[in-house]
């Protein structure tokens, strides 16, 4: 009924959260490999993931990109499945589709699997990761070099916003390195480098095998013992502590001839294990959790300043980065960052209203419930969490987020969103006027 109000309408109630977190059982095999089984009764699909503590964070500069290169090489066949074709046929016969991703401090190898064929899925994944043939490397090298073209312009300059931002924040540390490496390092990586990296990182103590679906946890444990027993026992790879982020404000401008600009404002923040991380979760939702949230409403819906905007927390094992970013016309970039400053300044000056905070908490609780229907989300939460010793379950996360008060939001916002913690990254065309305005804002960010 447009234009009319409805009297006596019931208030929005907090969603009914599942009474418990999903049934999770875990065990550690003799060689140190951890197996995590997430029981999801009633779901028709299963998901199988091997998480490995490996990535550009752990690479020497001379072989930057070796983790990503090795990820590609795994798909070229293994001892039992000696070609790409045979490996993929085996996975597809049990409902699978092999895939992988490499990040700065972990890699994941995953496939859907029919719950009735979980053991076969483990066999395929174990053989692929423990006995790779490492053939056709020149073909993979060319594929990787082609992929990397997305990160540079025609003159070879780095135009990837995330790469530039992380280099600014973590200069001289592995977290600053590009995930795929550089053309020079990728061309230099050889079979011996891949085998050394394989031996150093792919062993029992550095890997978590996780499965989610409607199956008995003991089936995963037995299959893990049977097929991953060839891994030698070893301790997890030691992590070089993240460096102290330099004092801000700092800025990086990368000229690029595209018609649109990309920009990001970054603030170092507490890691996931820290109590202040829970207020950060809600701050991100207050700013960017649908079209009704502050960032979308102020910048897109009301002012049409940007094509897209976003806010979130980029998490690592020992640090996190709170990020706001936008894609916009270069001429609008100064107004976008001014709005960033205004919105963050409001969070630092005034307490979030109880109504807005409760809405963010409801959205968070519903997202956790939605995850119960996704085997991918369940594996990501419990498997990657186990890799870094963060074993918080859904119920505990919900409880801790629900307990956050407006005063805590205000305190954490004031601690994080400070000019001396601000780092600005810009990629795109910038006229003299716009660049001068952006540089002036970075030096004296209005609102903060």
């Amino acid at each position: 009924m447009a234009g009319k109000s409805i009297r006596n309408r019931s208030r929005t109630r907090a969603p009914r959260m599942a009474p418990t977190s999903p049934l999770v059982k875990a065990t550690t095999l003799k060689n140190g490999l951890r197996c995590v089984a997430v029981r999801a009764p009633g779901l028709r699909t299963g998901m199988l993931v091997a998480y490995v503590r490996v990535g550009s964070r752990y690479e020497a500069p001379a072989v930057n990109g070796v983790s990503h290169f090795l990820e590609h090489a795994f798909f070229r066949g293994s001892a039992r499945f000696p070609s790409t074709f045979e490996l993929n046929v085996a996975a597809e016969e049990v409902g699978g589709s092999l895939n992988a991703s490499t990040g700065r401090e972990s890699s994941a190898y995953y496939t859907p699997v029919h719950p009735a064929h979980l053991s076969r899925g483990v066999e395929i994944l174990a053989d692929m990761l423990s006995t790779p043939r490492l053939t056709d490397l020149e073909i993979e090298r060319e594929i990787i070099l082609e992929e990397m073209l997305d990160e540079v312009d025609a003159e070879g300059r780095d135009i990837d916003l995330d790469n530039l931002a992380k280099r600014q924040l973590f200069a001289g540390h592995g977290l600053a390195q590009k995930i795929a490496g550089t053309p020079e390092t990728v061309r230099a990586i050889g079979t011996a480098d891949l085998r050394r990296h394989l031996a150093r990182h792919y062993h029992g103590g550095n890997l978590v095998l996780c499965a989610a679906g409607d199956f008995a946890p003991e089936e995963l444990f037995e299959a893990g013992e049977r097929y991953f027993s060839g891994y030698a026992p070893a301790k997890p790879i030691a992590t070089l502590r993240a460096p102290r982020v330099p004092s801000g404000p700092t800025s990086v401008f990368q000229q690029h001839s595209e018609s649109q600009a990309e920009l990001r404002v970054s603030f170092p923040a507490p890691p996931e294990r820290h109590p202040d991380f829970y207020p950060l979760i809600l701050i991100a939702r207050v700013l960017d959790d649908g079209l009704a949230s502050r960032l979308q409403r102020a910048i897109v819906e009301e002012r049409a300043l940007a094509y897209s905007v976003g806010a979130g927390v980029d998490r690592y094992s020992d640090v996190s980065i709170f990020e706001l970013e936008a894609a916009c016309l270069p001429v609008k970039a100064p107004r976008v960052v001014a709005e960033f400053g205004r919105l963050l300044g409001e969070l630092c000056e005034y307490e979030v209203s109880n109504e807005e905070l409760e809405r963010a908490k409801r959205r968070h609780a519903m997202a956790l419930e939605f995850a119960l229907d996704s085997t991918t989300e369940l594996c990501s939460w419990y498997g990657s969490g186990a890799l870094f010793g963060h074993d918080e379950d859904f119920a505990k996360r919900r409880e801790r987020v629900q307990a956050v008060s407006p005063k805590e939001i205000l305190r954490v916002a004031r601690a994080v969103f400070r000019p001396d913690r601000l780092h600005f990254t810009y990629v795109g065309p910038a006229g003299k006027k716009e660049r001068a305005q952006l540089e002036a804002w970075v030096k004296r960010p209005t609102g903060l």
Side-chain angles (χ1 to χ4, degrees), residues 221-300:
F221 303 158
E222 291 168 3
E225 187 70 64
R226 184 181 310 122
Y227 297 115
F228 278 95
S229 60
Y231 272 147
K235 293 181 179 180
I237 292 295
T239 301
L240 179 63
R241 186 176 179 84
R244 183 180 179 84
V245 174
S247 293
T250 67
S251 61
V252 170
F253 287 83
Q254 181 60 274
Q255 191 72 23
H256 183 39
S257 58
E258 289 290 324
S259 58
Q260 210 169 46
E262 294 180 281
L263 56 92
R264 178 183 293 180
V265 177
S266 305
F267 298 88
E272 196 164 9
R273 292 169 181 254
H274 196 283
D276 286 352
F277 187 78
Y278 303 105
L280 275 179
I281 293 172
L282 290 171
I283 289 172
R285 286 190 173 274
V286 166
L287 286 171
D288 180 27
D289 188 19
L291 296 180
S293 56
R294 294 187 184 188
L295 196 62
Q296 297 283 346
R297 192 169 71 246
I299 293 179
V300 179

Coordinates of all heavy atoms in Angstrom, one line a residue, residues 221-300:
F221 N 38.0 -39.0 8.5 CA 39.2 -39.3 9.2 C 39.9 -40.5 8.7 O 41.1 -40.6 8.5 CB 38.8 -39.5 10.7 CG 38.1 -38.3 11.3 CD1 37.4 -38.5 12.5 CD2 38.2 -37.1 10.8 CE1 36.7 -37.5 13.1 CE2 37.6 -36.0 11.4 CZ 36.8 -36.2 12.6
E222 N 39.1 -41.5 8.3 CA 39.7 -42.8 7.8 C 40.3 -42.5 6.4 O 41.4 -43.0 6.1 CB 38.6 -43.9 7.7 CG 38.1 -44.4 9.0 CD 36.8 -45.2 8.9 OE1 36.4 -45.5 7.8 OE2 36.3 -45.6 10.0
A223 N 39.6 -41.8 5.6 CA 40.2 -41.5 4.2 C 41.4 -40.6 4.4 O 42.4 -40.8 3.6 CB 39.1 -40.7 3.4
G224 N 41.4 -39.6 5.3 CA 42.6 -38.8 5.5 C 43.8 -39.7 5.9 O 44.9 -39.5 5.4
E225 N 43.6 -40.6 6.8 CA 44.6 -41.5 7.3 C 45.1 -42.4 6.2 O 46.3 -42.6 6.0 CB 44.1 -42.4 8.4 CG 45.1 -43.2 9.1 CD 46.1 -42.4 9.9 OE1 45.7 -41.7 10.9 OE2 47.3 -42.4 9.6
R226 N 44.2 -42.8 5.3 CA 44.6 -43.8 4.3 C 45.4 -43.1 3.1 O 46.4 -43.6 2.7 CB 43.3 -44.4 3.7 CG 43.6 -45.5 2.6 CD 42.3 -46.1 2.0 NE 41.5 -46.5 3.1 CZ 40.2 -46.1 3.3 NH1 39.7 -45.1 2.4 NH2 39.5 -46.5 4.2
Y227 N 44.9 -41.9 2.7 CA 45.5 -41.3 1.5 C 46.5 -40.2 1.8 O 47.3 -39.9 0.9 CB 44.3 -40.8 0.7 CG 43.4 -41.8 0.2 CD1 42.1 -41.9 0.6 CD2 43.9 -42.9 -0.7 CE1 41.2 -42.9 0.1 CE2 43.0 -43.9 -1.1 CZ 41.7 -43.9 -0.7 OH 40.9 -44.9 -1.1
F228 N 46.5 -39.6 3.0 CA 47.5 -38.6 3.3 C 48.6 -39.1 4.2 O 49.4 -38.3 4.6 CB 46.8 -37.4 3.9 CG 46.2 -36.4 3.0 CD1 44.8 -36.5 2.7 CD2 46.9 -35.4 2.4 CE1 44.2 -35.6 1.8 CE2 46.4 -34.5 1.5 CZ 45.0 -34.6 1.2
S229 N 48.7 -40.4 4.4 CA 49.7 -40.9 5.3 C 51.1 -40.8 4.7 O 52.1 -40.9 5.5 CB 49.4 -42.4 5.6 OG 49.4 -43.2 4.3
G230 N 51.2 -40.5 3.4 CA 52.6 -40.4 2.8 C 53.2 -39.1 3.2 O 54.4 -38.9 3.0
Y231 N 52.5 -38.1 3.7 CA 53.1 -36.9 4.2 C 53.9 -37.1 5.4 O 53.5 -37.7 6.4 CB 52.0 -35.8 4.5 CG 51.5 -35.0 3.3 CD1 50.2 -34.6 3.3 CD2 52.4 -34.6 2.3 CE1 49.8 -33.8 2.2 CE2 52.0 -33.8 1.3 CZ 50.7 -33.4 1.2 OH 50.2 -32.6 0.2
A232 N 55.1 -36.6 5.4 CA 56.0 -36.7 6.6 C 55.5 -35.7 7.7 O 55.0 -34.7 7.4 CB 57.4 -36.3 6.2
P233 N 55.7 -36.1 8.9 CA 55.3 -35.2 10.0 C 56.2 -34.1 10.1 O 57.5 -34.2 10.0 CB 55.4 -36.1 11.3 CG 56.3 -37.2 10.9 CD 56.2 -37.4 9.4
A234 N 55.7 -32.9 10.4 CA 56.6 -31.7 10.5 C 55.7 -30.6 11.2 O 54.5 -30.7 11.2 CB 57.1 -31.2 9.2
K235 N 56.4 -29.7 11.8 CA 55.6 -28.6 12.5 C 55.1 -27.6 11.4 O 55.7 -27.5 10.3 CB 56.6 -27.9 13.5 CG 57.0 -28.7 14.7 CD 57.9 -27.9 15.6 CE 58.3 -28.8 16.8 NZ 59.1 -28.0 17.8
P236 N 54.1 -26.8 11.8 CA 53.6 -25.8 10.9 C 54.7 -24.8 10.6 O 55.6 -24.5 11.4 CB 52.5 -25.1 11.7 CG 52.0 -26.1 12.6 CD 53.3 -26.9 13.0
I237 N 54.7 -24.2 9.4 CA 55.6 -23.2 9.0 C 55.5 -22.0 9.9 O 54.4 -21.5 10.2 CB 55.4 -22.8 7.6 CG1 55.7 -23.9 6.6 CG2 56.2 -21.5 7.2 CD1 57.2 -24.3 6.6
A238 N 56.7 -21.5 10.4 CA 56.7 -20.3 11.3 C 56.3 -19.1 10.5 O 56.8 -19.0 9.3 CB 58.0 -20.2 12.0
T239 N 55.6 -18.2 11.1 CA 55.2 -17.0 10.4 C 56.0 -15.8 10.8 O 56.1 -15.5 12.0 CB 53.7 -16.7 10.7 OG1 52.9 -17.8 10.2 CG2 53.2 -15.4 9.9
L240 N 56.6 -15.1 9.9 CA 57.3 -13.9 10.2 C 56.3 -12.8 10.6 O 55.5 -12.5 9.7 CB 58.2 -13.4 9.1 CG 59.0 -12.1 9.2 CD1 60.0 -12.3 10.4 CD2 59.7 -11.8 7.9
R241 N 56.4 -12.3 11.8 CA 55.4 -11.4 12.3 C 55.2 -10.2 11.3 O 56.1 -9.7 10.7 CB 55.8 -10.9 13.6 CG 54.8 -10.0 14.3 CD 55.2 -9.6 15.7 NE 54.2 -8.7 16.3 CZ 53.2 -9.2 17.0 NH1 53.0 -10.5 17.1 NH2 52.3 -8.3 17.6
A242 N 53.9 -9.8 11.1 CA 53.6 -8.7 10.3 C 54.4 -7.4 10.8 O 54.4 -7.2 12.0 CB 52.1 -8.4 10.2
P243 N 54.9 -6.6 9.9 CA 55.7 -5.5 10.3 C 54.7 -4.4 10.9 O 53.5 -4.4 10.6 CB 56.3 -5.0 9.0 CG 55.3 -5.4 7.9 CD 54.8 -6.7 8.4
R244 N 55.3 -3.5 11.6 CA 54.6 -2.3 12.1 C 54.3 -1.5 10.9 O 55.2 -1.0 10.2 CB 55.4 -1.6 13.1 CG 54.6 -0.4 13.7 CD 55.5 0.3 14.8 NE 54.8 1.5 15.3 CZ 54.0 1.4 16.4 NH1 53.8 0.2 16.9 NH2 53.4 2.5 16.8
V245 N 53.0 -1.2 10.6 CA 52.6 -0.4 9.5 C 53.2 1.0 9.7 O 53.0 1.6 10.8 CB 51.1 -0.4 9.3 CG1 50.7 0.6 8.2 CG2 50.6 -1.8 9.0
P246 N 53.8 1.6 8.7 CA 54.4 3.0 8.9 C 53.3 4.0 9.3 O 52.1 3.9 8.9 CB 55.0 3.3 7.6 CG 54.3 2.4 6.6 CD 54.0 1.1 7.4
S247 N 53.7 5.0 10.0 CA 52.8 6.1 10.4 C 52.3 6.8 9.2 O 53.0 7.0 8.2 CB 53.5 7.1 11.3 OG 53.8 6.4 12.6
G248 N 51.0 7.2 9.2 CA 50.4 7.9 8.1 C 50.3 9.4 8.5 O 50.8 9.8 9.5
P249 N 49.6 10.1 7.7 CA 49.0 9.6 6.4 C 50.0 9.4 5.3 O 51.0 10.2 5.2 CB 47.9 10.6 6.1 CG 48.5 11.9 6.7 CD 49.2 11.5 7.9
T250 N 49.8 8.4 4.4 CA 50.6 8.2 3.3 C 49.7 8.1 2.0 O 48.5 7.8 2.2 CB 51.5 7.0 3.4 OG1 50.7 5.8 3.4 CG2 52.3 7.0 4.7
S251 N 50.3 8.2 0.9 CA 49.5 8.1 -0.4 C 50.4 7.5 -1.5 O 51.6 7.8 -1.5 CB 48.9 9.5 -0.8 OG 50.0 10.4 -1.0
V252 N 49.7 6.8 -2.4 CA 50.3 6.3 -3.6 C 49.4 6.6 -4.7 O 48.2 6.3 -4.7 CB 50.6 4.8 -3.5 CG1 51.0 4.2 -4.9 CG2 51.6 4.4 -2.5
F253 N 49.9 7.2 -5.8 CA 49.1 7.5 -7.0 C 49.8 6.8 -8.1 O 51.0 6.9 -8.4 CB 49.1 9.0 -7.3 CG 48.3 9.9 -6.3 CD1 48.8 10.3 -5.1 CD2 47.0 10.2 -6.7 CE1 48.1 11.0 -4.2 CE2 46.2 11.0 -5.8 CZ 46.8 11.4 -4.6
Q254 N 49.0 6.0 -8.9 CA 49.4 5.4 -10.1 C 48.6 5.8 -11.2 O 47.4 5.6 -11.3 CB 49.3 3.8 -9.9 CG 49.8 3.1 -11.1 CD 51.3 3.3 -11.4 OE1 51.6 4.3 -12.1 NE2 52.1 2.5 -10.9
Q255 N 49.2 6.6 -12.1 CA 48.6 7.1 -13.3 C 48.1 5.9 -14.2 O 48.9 5.0 -14.5 CB 49.5 8.0 -14.1 CG 48.8 8.9 -15.2 CD 47.8 9.9 -14.6 OE1 48.0 10.3 -13.5 NE2 46.9 10.3 -15.4
H256 N 46.9 6.0 -14.7 CA 46.4 4.9 -15.6 C 45.4 5.6 -16.5 O 44.6 6.5 -16.1 CB 45.8 3.8 -14.8 CG 45.3 2.7 -15.6 ND1 46.0 2.2 -16.7 CD2 44.2 1.9 -15.5 CE1 45.3 1.1 -17.2 NE2 44.2 1.0 -16.4
S257 N 45.4 5.2 -17.8 CA 44.6 5.9 -18.8 C 43.1 5.4 -18.9 O 42.4 5.9 -19.7 CB 45.2 5.6 -20.2 OG 45.3 4.2 -20.5
E258 N 42.6 4.6 -18.0 CA 41.2 4.2 -18.0 C 40.4 5.4 -17.7 O 40.8 6.4 -17.1 CB 41.0 3.1 -16.9 CG 41.6 1.8 -17.2 CD 40.8 1.1 -18.4 OE1 39.6 1.3 -18.5 OE2 41.5 0.4 -19.2
S259 N 39.1 5.4 -18.1 CA 38.2 6.5 -17.9 C 37.8 6.6 -16.4 O 37.3 7.7 -16.0 CB 37.0 6.4 -18.8 OG 36.3 5.2 -18.5
Q260 N 37.8 5.5 -15.7 CA 37.4 5.5 -14.3 C 38.6 5.4 -13.4 O 39.6 4.8 -13.7 CB 36.4 4.3 -14.1 CG 35.4 4.6 -13.0 CD 34.3 3.5 -13.0 OE1 34.6 2.3 -13.1 NE2 33.1 3.9 -12.9
A261 N 38.5 5.9 -12.2 CA 39.5 5.8 -11.2 C 39.1 4.8 -10.1 O 37.9 4.6 -9.8 CB 39.8 7.1 -10.5
E262 N 40.1 4.1 -9.5 CA 39.8 3.3 -8.3 C 40.6 3.9 -7.2 O 41.8 4.3 -7.3 CB 40.3 1.8 -8.5 CG 39.6 1.1 -9.6 CD 40.2 -0.3 -9.7 OE1 41.2 -0.4 -10.4 OE2 39.6 -1.3 -9.2
L263 N 40.0 3.9 -6.0 CA 40.7 4.5 -4.8 C 40.4 3.7 -3.6 O 39.3 3.1 -3.5 CB 40.4 6.0 -4.7 CG 38.9 6.4 -4.5 CD1 38.5 6.4 -3.1 CD2 38.7 7.7 -5.2
R264 N 41.3 3.7 -2.7 CA 41.1 2.9 -1.4 C 41.8 3.7 -0.3 O 42.8 4.3 -0.4 CB 41.8 1.6 -1.5 CG 41.7 0.7 -0.2 CD 42.4 -0.6 -0.3 NE 41.7 -1.5 -1.3 CZ 42.2 -2.7 -1.6 NH1 43.3 -3.2 -1.0 NH2 41.5 -3.5 -2.4
V265 N 41.0 3.7 0.9 CA 41.6 4.2 2.1 C 41.7 3.0 3.1 O 40.8 2.3 3.3 CB 40.6 5.3 2.7 CG1 41.1 5.7 4.1 CG2 40.5 6.4 1.8
S266 N 42.9 2.8 3.6 CA 43.2 1.7 4.4 C 43.7 2.1 5.8 O 44.4 3.1 6.0 CB 44.3 0.8 3.8 OG 44.0 0.5 2.5
F267 N 43.2 1.3 6.8 CA 43.6 1.6 8.2 C 44.1 0.3 8.8 O 43.3 -0.7 8.9 CB 42.5 2.2 9.0 CG 42.0 3.5 8.6 CD1 41.0 3.6 7.6 CD2 42.5 4.7 9.1 CE1 40.5 4.8 7.2 CE2 42.0 5.9 8.7 CZ 41.0 5.9 7.7
P268 N 45.3 0.1 9.4 CA 45.6 -1.1 10.1 C 44.7 -1.2 11.3 O 44.4 -0.2 12.0 CB 47.1 -0.9 10.5 CG 47.3 0.6 10.5 CD 46.4 1.1 9.4
A269 N 44.3 -2.5 11.6 CA 43.4 -2.7 12.7 C 43.7 -4.0 13.4 O 44.6 -4.8 13.0 CB 42.0 -2.8 12.1
P270 N 43.1 -4.3 14.5 CA 43.4 -5.5 15.3 C 43.1 -6.8 14.5 O 42.2 -6.8 13.7 CB 42.5 -5.4 16.6 CG 42.2 -4.0 16.7 CD 42.1 -3.5 15.2
P271 N 43.8 -7.9 14.8 CA 43.5 -9.2 14.1 C 42.2 -9.8 14.7 O 41.6 -9.4 15.7 CB 44.7 -10.0 14.5 CG 45.2 -9.5 15.8 CD 44.9 -8.0 15.7
E272 N 41.9 -10.9 14.0 CA 40.6 -11.6 14.4 C 40.5 -12.1 15.8 O 39.5 -12.2 16.4 CB 40.3 -12.7 13.4 CG 38.9 -13.2 13.4 CD 38.6 -14.1 12.2 OE1 39.6 -14.4 11.4 OE2 37.5 -14.4 11.9
R273 N 41.7 -12.4 16.4 CA 41.7 -12.9 17.7 C 41.5 -11.9 18.8 O 41.2 -12.1 20.0 CB 43.0 -13.6 18.0 CG 43.2 -14.9 17.2 CD 44.7 -15.4 17.4 NE 45.0 -16.6 16.6 CZ 45.1 -17.8 17.2 NH1 45.1 -17.9 18.5 NH2 45.4 -18.8 16.5
H274 N 41.6 -10.6 18.4 CA 41.5 -9.5 19.4 C 40.1 -9.1 19.7 O 39.2 -9.2 18.8 CB 42.3 -8.3 18.8 CG 42.6 -7.2 19.7 ND1 41.7 -6.3 20.2 CD2 43.8 -6.9 20.3 CE1 42.3 -5.5 21.1 NE2 43.5 -5.8 21.1
P275 N 39.8 -8.8 21.0 CA 38.4 -8.4 21.3 C 37.8 -7.3 20.5 O 36.6 -7.2 20.3 CB 38.5 -8.1 22.8 CG 39.7 -8.8 23.3 CD 40.7 -8.8 22.1
D276 N 38.7 -6.4 20.1 CA 38.2 -5.2 19.3 C 37.8 -5.6 17.9 O 37.3 -4.7 17.1 CB 39.3 -4.1 19.2 CG 39.4 -3.4 20.6 OD1 38.6 -3.6 21.5 OD2 40.4 -2.6 20.7
F277 N 38.1 -6.8 17.5 CA 37.7 -7.2 16.1 C 36.1 -7.3 16.0 O 35.6 -7.0 14.9 CB 38.3 -8.6 15.8 CG 38.1 -9.0 14.3 CD1 38.8 -8.4 13.3 CD2 37.1 -9.9 14.0 CE1 38.6 -8.8 12.0 CE2 36.9 -10.3 12.7 CZ 37.6 -9.7 11.7
Y278 N 35.4 -7.6 17.1 CA 34.0 -7.7 17.0 C 33.3 -6.4 16.7 O 32.4 -6.3 15.9 CB 33.5 -8.4 18.3 CG 34.1 -9.8 18.5 CD1 35.1 -9.9 19.4 CD2 33.8 -10.8 17.7 CE1 35.8 -11.2 19.6 CE2 34.5 -12.1 17.8 CZ 35.4 -12.2 18.7 OH 36.1 -13.4 18.9
P279 N 33.7 -5.3 17.4 CA 33.2 -4.0 17.0 C 33.5 -3.7 15.5 O 32.7 -3.1 14.8 CB 33.8 -3.0 17.9 CG 34.1 -3.8 19.2 CD 34.5 -5.2 18.7
L280 N 34.7 -4.1 15.1 CA 35.0 -3.8 13.7 C 34.0 -4.5 12.7 O 33.7 -3.9 11.7 CB 36.4 -4.3 13.4 CG 37.6 -3.4 13.7 CD1 38.9 -4.2 13.3 CD2 37.5 -2.1 13.0
I281 N 33.6 -5.7 13.0 CA 32.6 -6.4 12.2 C 31.4 -5.6 12.0 O 30.8 -5.4 10.9 CB 32.3 -7.8 12.8 CG1 33.5 -8.7 12.8 CG2 31.1 -8.4 12.1 CD1 33.3 -10.0 13.5
L282 N 30.9 -5.0 13.1 CA 29.7 -4.2 13.1 C 29.9 -2.9 12.4 O 29.0 -2.4 11.7 CB 29.1 -4.1 14.5 CG 28.6 -5.4 15.1 CD1 28.3 -5.2 16.6 CD2 27.4 -5.9 14.3
I283 N 31.1 -2.3 12.6 CA 31.4 -1.0 11.9 C 31.3 -1.2 10.4 O 30.7 -0.4 9.7 CB 32.7 -0.5 12.3 CG1 32.7 0.0 13.8 CG2 33.2 0.6 11.4 CD1 34.1 0.4 14.3
A284 N 31.8 -2.3 9.9 CA 31.8 -2.6 8.5 C 30.3 -2.8 8.0 O 30.0 -2.3 6.9 CB 32.6 -3.9 8.2
R285 N 29.5 -3.4 8.8 CA 28.1 -3.6 8.5 C 27.3 -2.3 8.5 O 26.4 -2.0 7.7 CB 27.4 -4.6 9.3 CG 27.9 -6.0 9.0 CD 27.0 -7.1 9.7 NE 27.4 -8.4 9.2 CZ 26.9 -9.0 8.1 NH1 26.0 -8.3 7.4 NH2 27.3 -10.2 7.7
V286 N 27.6 -1.4 9.5 CA 27.0 -0.1 9.5 C 27.3 0.7 8.3 O 26.4 1.4 7.7 CB 27.4 0.6 10.8 CG1 27.0 2.1 10.7 CG2 26.8 0.0 12.0
L287 N 28.5 0.6 7.8 CA 29.0 1.4 6.7 C 28.5 0.7 5.4 O 28.1 1.4 4.5 CB 30.5 1.5 6.7 CG 31.1 2.5 7.6 CD1 32.6 2.3 7.7 CD2 30.7 3.9 7.3
D288 N 28.6 -0.6 5.3 CA 28.3 -1.2 4.0 C 27.7 -2.6 4.2 O 28.4 -3.6 4.2 CB 29.6 -1.3 3.2 CG 29.5 -2.0 1.8 OD1 28.3 -1.9 1.3 OD2 30.4 -2.6 1.3
D289 N 26.4 -2.6 4.2 CA 25.7 -3.9 4.3 C 24.3 -3.7 3.6 O 23.3 -3.8 4.3 CB 25.5 -4.3 5.8 CG 24.9 -5.7 5.9 OD1 25.0 -6.5 5.0 OD2 24.4 -6.0 7.0
G290 N 24.4 -3.5 2.3 CA 23.1 -3.3 1.6 C 22.9 -1.8 1.3 O 23.7 -0.9 1.8
L291 N 22.0 -1.5 0.4 CA 21.7 -0.2 -0.1 C 21.2 0.8 1.0 O 21.3 2.0 0.9 CB 20.7 -0.2 -1.2 CG 21.2 -0.9 -2.5 CD1 20.1 -0.9 -3.5 CD2 22.5 -0.3 -3.0
A292 N 20.8 0.2 2.2 CA 20.3 1.1 3.2 C 21.4 1.5 4.2 O 21.2 2.3 5.1 CB 19.2 0.4 4.0
S293 N 22.6 1.0 4.0 CA 23.7 1.3 4.9 C 24.3 2.6 4.5 O 24.1 3.2 3.5 CB 24.8 0.2 4.9 OG 25.2 0.0 3.5
R294 N 25.1 3.2 5.4 CA 25.6 4.6 5.3 C 26.4 4.8 4.1 O 26.2 5.9 3.4 CB 26.4 4.9 6.6 CG 25.7 4.9 7.9 CD 26.5 5.5 9.0 NE 25.8 5.4 10.3 CZ 26.3 6.0 11.4 NH1 27.5 6.6 11.4 NH2 25.6 5.9 12.5
L295 N 27.3 4.0 3.7 CA 28.2 4.2 2.6 C 27.5 4.3 1.3 O 27.6 5.2 0.5 CB 29.3 3.2 2.6 CG 30.6 3.4 1.8 CD1 31.3 4.6 2.3 CD2 31.5 2.2 1.8
Q296 N 26.7 3.2 1.1 CA 25.9 3.1 -0.2 C 24.9 4.3 -0.3 O 24.8 4.9 -1.4 CB 25.2 1.8 -0.2 CG 26.0 0.6 -0.2 CD 26.6 0.3 -1.6 OE1 26.2 0.9 -2.6 NE2 27.6 -0.6 -1.6
R297 N 24.3 4.6 0.8 CA 23.3 5.6 0.8 C 23.9 7.0 0.5 O 23.4 7.8 -0.4 CB 22.5 5.7 2.1 CG 21.2 6.5 2.1 CD 20.4 6.2 3.3 NE 21.0 6.8 4.5 CZ 21.5 6.1 5.5 NH1 21.4 4.8 5.5 NH2 22.0 6.8 6.6
A298 N 25.0 7.3 1.2 CA 25.5 8.7 1.1 C 26.2 8.9 -0.3 O 26.1 10.0 -0.9 CB 26.5 8.9 2.2
I299 N 27.0 7.9 -0.7 CA 27.8 8.1 -1.9 C 27.2 7.7 -3.2 O 27.4 8.4 -4.2 CB 29.2 7.3 -1.7 CG1 29.9 8.0 -0.5 CG2 30.0 7.3 -3.0 CD1 31.2 7.3 -0.2
V300 N 26.4 6.7 -3.2 CA 25.8 6.2 -4.5 C 24.3 6.7 -4.6 O 24.0 7.4 -5.6 CB 25.8 4.6 -4.5 CG1 25.1 4.2 -5.8 CG2 27.2 4.1 -4.5

